[in-house]
Amino acid sequence: MYTRATTSLTTAALLLAALTACASDDDAAESRPSSSAAIPSAKESADPPRDDAAELSNAVGYYTKAYFEGDTDTAYRALSQRCRAQITPEAHGAVVTRAAKDYGPDHEAADIGANLLGDTASVSYKVTGLPKFDKKEQPWTWEDDAWKYDAC
């Protein structure tokens, strides 16, 4: 019985090998991916995946720093398109200038945490030395290849 099972398996394996060998080169070529497949090469690769948590944390830090240092241009550029449509550079600049005058530049964003959902995020963080400016679930959005403040 052991011999019959071994012989049957050997015969099946040989038949399978023979059938595979009989496939034409055209059939084999059709089943192989072409060299111009949709997988990008290292040279032509798509944008690398972004590190949302790190990039968002950096954006929050830059915005907070610009805000308390009175850097009106940087702070305004950090606003989303939606926010820039609601406030002029001059009006936003006046708020930033006032914050710098009233509180000074030594207030960094700390303990930054975010809930990310695609191109939007809800960010919570503390402002060092100014607990009244601590934020909970502040909206941010990804646009123009950067995270932008969207709490207008």
Side-chain angles (χ1 to χ4, degrees), residues 31-42:
S31 67
R32 283 190 303 249
S34 71
S35 61
S36 61
I39 301 170
S41 70

Side-chain angles (χ1 to χ4, degrees), residues 43-129:
K43 289 181 183 175
E44 60 184 82
S45 66
D47 292 335
R50 58 185 208 237
D51 182 356
D52 284 322
E55 289 184 39
L56 180 56
S57 182
N58 287 338
V60 170
Y62 289 134
Y63 178 75
T64 302
K65 180 177 170 53
Y67 187 87
F68 288 108
E69 286 184 349
D71 184 346
T72 58
D73 292 335
T74 299
Y76 192 76
R77 281 193 311 271
L79 300 181
S80 67
Q81 292 173 5
R82 186 179 73 83
C83 289
R84 287 193 309 262
Q86 294 180 23
I87 188 168
T88 66
E90 295 79 20
H92 187 261
V95 171
V96 170
T97 300
R98 183 63 190 221
K101 181 181 175 193
D102 290 349
Y103 304 105
D106 299 323
H107 305 288
E108 297 178 0
D111 299 328
I112 301 168
N115 292 319
L116 295 140
L117 183 59
D119 287 347
T120 62
S122 176
V123 183
S124 297
Y125 59 98
K126 295 180 180 181
V127 176
T128 306

Side-chain angles (χ1 to χ4, degrees), residues 19-41:
L19 289 173
T20 305
C22 290
S24 73
D25 286 339
D26 291 337
D27 292 341
E30 288 176 15
S31 67
R32 283 190 303 249
S34 71
S35 61
S36 61
I39 301 170
S41 70

